[in-house]
Amino acid sequence: MASTVSTVPCGILSPSPPPPAVWPPLDFALGALACCAACVFTNPLEVVKTRLQLQGELRARGSYQRHYRGVLQALWVVGRTDGLRGLQKGLSVGLIYQGAMNGVRLGSYSYCETLGVTSFPGGSLLAGAGAGALGALIASPAYLIKTHLQAQTVEAIAVGHQHNHMGVSDAFVTIYRREGLIGLWRGVNGAVPRVMVGSAAQLATFTTAKNWVSHSQQFSPNNWLTALIAAMISGVAVAISMTPFDVISTRLYNQPVDEFRRGRLYHGFSDCMLKVCRAEGPLGLYKGMGPVFVRLAPHTVLSMLFWDLMRQQAIKDKHSQKRS
């Protein structure tokens, strides 16, 4: 039926017809808007996550001072030291990142969905990974600046390298003058696999979970509760699969560079992974798992829910215009 709308109705294992198409530019804009709305609520958790992932960098457990000991304590420390504005550090560039990356990612995935790519076995995983890689590549400079700004704080609770940027525009100009245009994409080799894994896990599990809830006939496919349940399941999958890649990405983005514009700590993705495992143990790759989950789960729920509801409304409006 034309009135039955599902954001991602097709499962990974069973093909189904593609959903009604949303005008591609509008779909890109809806994806960007949905994730920007979620970012406003979850940015303080992103600040805490960044600090926890940089704490004790390349040092054995117990050999460094722990300023941050958990999500709630870290939020309190940041709020007490940096104020409420400190909890929203990097928000402006974070919105740029979310808009650019997720607009491209969700819009590209939706386009693949319309073409019927996701109706084939494994299609959701491949489309989600490919869309995520493209979004991460385009938006990498914004994530670089966001990481630098969110790591910055007073010396008493500082972790990781402190870049001491005066703001978003100053950070862009400083990096461009010091490292050239390529410098703005430093760390992209960690960002692309991070978003590929997260995007594939998010969109594929959201796809399957929403299809499963719809087929269980507990709620209709276009009911907001269907999208909410699917998004909650998706959030758990994203947090578990994405944390090691998130740690590596944060480290690559935040590391200092030498006079030859090379990273002082890591040479690339695999080098970072090996060094973290050797110095901090395998669990070092799961640093900040708590805030990663606390941040990614609600962000996934909010962004996927907003995206689903806005796309449903856009398709309803399209049908109404055709009837009139």
Side-chain angles (χ1 to χ4, degrees), residues 100-121:
M101 193 275 284
N102 285 300
V104 171
R105 183 176 72 92
L106 296 179
S108 299
Y109 183 85
S110 178
Y111 187 65
C112 291
E113 179 188 40
T114 303
L115 294 176
V117 174
T118 58
S119 65
F120 297 101

Side-chain angles (χ1 to χ4, degrees), residues 62-86:
S63 65
Y64 57 88
Q65 183 178 0
R66 293 179 62 195
H67 300 297
Y68 310 102
R69 298 178 179 275
V71 180
L72 295 179
Q73 186 266 355
L75 286 169
W76 181 78
V77 168
V78 174
R80 181 194 63 183
T81 307
D82 295 334
L84 293 178
R85 292 183 63 184

Side-chain angles (χ1 to χ4, degrees), residues 140-149 175 183-186 253:
S140 184
Y143 199 92
L144 171 69
I145 304 302
K146 181 184 73 69
T147 302
H148 287 189
L149 293 177
I175 293 173
L184 291 171
W185 268 267
R186 181 169 54 82
Y253 272 128

